[in-house]
Amino acid sequence: MRNFFLLIGILSIIGCSSNKKQSVQNEIQDCMSVINLSGDISKVSSLFLSDAAAKVEVIPLEVTDESMLGDISHLHVTDQDIWVHQYKDSYIYRFSRTGKFLNKVGKIGQGPEEYIRIHDFFVDDNSKELYLQTTTPAGLKVYGYNGQFKRIASRRSLDDVCNTVYIQSVLYDNKFFLAQNLAFLNKPMPKDSMWSFALVDSTYQKKKTFKNPAHIGREEEILQHRVDFSKFVNYWKESFTSIDTYNNQLTLKFPDTDTIYQYNSANDELVPQYAIFTTEEKGDYGATHAFVRERSSLDYFCIRHYYPTKYFIYLLGSKGEDIYTYCYDRRDGSVRVKRLKSEITERPSQHGIFHTLKDADNFVLDNDLCGGAFNVDFRSQGKYWIDVLEPGSTDDWINIDEVKDSKVKDDAQKQRFVSTLENVEEEANPILIIATLK
């Protein structure tokens, strides 16, 4: 059966009504803008970074005895600073916007002002404070920009609030938000307590919760397929919620849904902003959400991520071995699409064969500002996209010859970029390409 990529019950969520028969698409279009992926779409070979970004900066991060970085797990860019958390330790490293190392933030230990591990961190540029979500000892701890400990905002663990290890955190408009995704952990949990997005206070107390509409009607099945650490079962999982704060607006798209919501701070509600329409089939929910997926389950269409900008909304999707980057023009509703051929890899394990689409989550644009390809590894403060280049890495480096051959808007900047790449040492810290959005 052909399955429309439209939520059951979306009209009741939006609050629209109609006195005459209309197609599903027309009814939705009466209520909000529709991104039509099955209409007249232009196929293109390139999507350029300059459509979204006003400028790029190439920033090599300084290496000192205190700032030798490895793989970066979290990164925030502000107007004055660059903040880095790496996988191998739990300090936060502060750099200037030119890449000069300034100081470290954090205290490792077992004391009340200390911690062992960090789950995530937030930067509050107004108060010049960092909020560190620590896991051992648990709590939300606040430090100043220069590294001094200031206070404990909460002693609660994220495990006390969330029902899964798949947790995302957001600080927006001086409010904290948490998102949790499948699979839910194996602990008592009534189906009416399932939530996907929540407004919480600084002590992690939930003030308001929201449910992924794709979960409605599937609660009992989802709980039956939750993680059980006492024995392995082929539990269900889903991709992360796509969240953005471009232009000081918090927007999100839940997994397996067709709607981009905007958060209304005045009444703490999620308001539908865009509906994504396609006639592609989505496939059986259980098959496409299994931890160990069959090869055939990847042959169905899905949209994983979206990236809003001033004039365009980019959607990243896939079907089979194809990765699609859609570019929706907010001004006239037109859509362009760039298709890349990838590959489905197989990895045997004691639980079965894992089938994965390579690079399915990579959002890549042609960097016509300084050359090469621009991979959006991080987005920060609602105004920056960051591509992280790691010297010595085969996966996270860049093809210098490709950069040299690129047609760019500023040849002088390209030459400076090439010089930086050619003179980097293998033991150097990562190089950041920071794109400032229009």
Side-chain angles (χ1 to χ4, degrees), residues 17 26 64 70 89 106 116 122 136 163 252 260 292 347 410 422:
S17 62
N26 287 339
T64 71
D89 66 36
I116 302 299
F122 309 103
T136 311
N163 304 100
L252 64 85
I260 298 174
V292 181
R347 180 171 61 87
D410 187 341
E422 290 182 333

Side-chain angles (χ1 to χ4, degrees), residues 48-267:
F48 295 109
L49 180 61
S50 63
D51 287 343
K55 66 175 183 177
V56 294
E57 304 161 82
V58 178
I59 311 293
L61 298 180
E62 181 184 21
V63 176
T64 71
D65 291 341
E66 291 188 279
S67 65
M68 299 180 67
L69 303 180
D71 292 339
I72 295 175
S73 55
H74 301 96
L75 188 151
H76 291 283
V77 173
T78 65
D79 291 344
Q80 303 297 327
D81 298 295
I82 297 168
W83 302 90
V84 176
H85 172 218
Q86 61 175 339
Y87 285 104
K88 70 179 182 181
D89 66 36
S90 287
Y91 291 105
I92 306 299
Y93 295 80
R94 180 190 181 194
F95 296 85
S96 72
R97 280 298 300 270
T98 60
K100 179 178 176 59
F101 174 67
L102 299 178
N103 59 274
K104 290 195 296 188
V105 177
K107 291 183 180 180
I108 310 302
Q110 296 286 350
E113 299 180 2
E114 301 171 331
Y115 57 88
I116 302 299
R117 291 189 298 275
I118 295 176
H119 169 73
D120 202 347
F121 75 99
F122 309 103
V123 178
D124 187 340
D125 215 24
N126 294 320
S127 64
K128 305 300 179 186
E129 293 179 334
L130 267 68
Y131 289 80
L132 276 59
Q133 285 183 328
T134 63
T135 57
T136 311
L140 185 66
K141 303 185 180 182
V142 184
Y143 290 80
Y145 273 18
N146 61 2
Q148 83 278 19
F149 175 81
K150 302 188 74 171
R151 64 187 181 278
I152 297 176
S154 173
R155 297 183 184 275
R156 298 186 72 198
S157 167
L158 287 174
D159 292 338
D160 297 334
V161 185
C162 300
N163 304 100
T164 174
V165 294
Y166 300 100
I167 305 169
Q168 298 163 262
S169 309
V170 181
L171 174 62
Y172 166 74
D173 194 26
N174 296 316
K175 298 178 180 179
F176 288 101
F177 298 86
L178 297 175
Q180 65 174 357
N181 302 86
L182 301 180
F184 293 99
L185 299 182
N186 186 23
K187 54 185 177 181
M189 181 180 175
K191 69 177 185 179
D192 58 0
S193 70
M194 289 175 53
W195 57 272
S196 301
F197 191 67
L199 167 66
V200 299
D201 62 21
S202 61
T203 65
Y204 294 154
Q205 294 288 343
K206 294 192 292 290
K207 300 174 68 176
K208 191 159 190 176
T209 60
F210 304 87
K211 180 178 287 189
N212 181 345
H215 294 172
I216 297 175
R218 293 192 175 99
E219 293 89 347
E220 291 185 0
E221 285 184 289
I222 289 172
L223 292 177
Q224 290 170 4
H225 292 86
R226 64 187 183 272
V227 173
D228 185 344
F229 288 126
S230 64
K231 60 181 179 179
F232 178 83
V233 294
N234 195 15
Y235 61 83
W236 285 358
K237 66 172 186 172
E238 64 187 357
S239 59
F240 284 107
T241 298
S242 192
I243 305 172
D244 204 285
T245 57
Y246 174 75
N247 197 29
N248 294 318
Q249 293 181 340
L250 173 61
T251 57
L252 64 85
K253 178 189 173 299
F254 291 114
D256 308 303
T257 65
D258 71 328
T259 306
I260 298 174
Y261 294 94
Q262 178 179 336
Y263 191 81
N264 186 321
S265 291
N267 56 11

Side-chain angles (χ1 to χ4, degrees), residues 303-315:
I303 294 290
R304 289 183 174 82
H305 306 288
Y306 78 98
Y307 296 80
T309 66
K310 183 176 182 179
Y311 300 119
F312 305 99
I313 294 176
Y314 298 88
L315 302 172

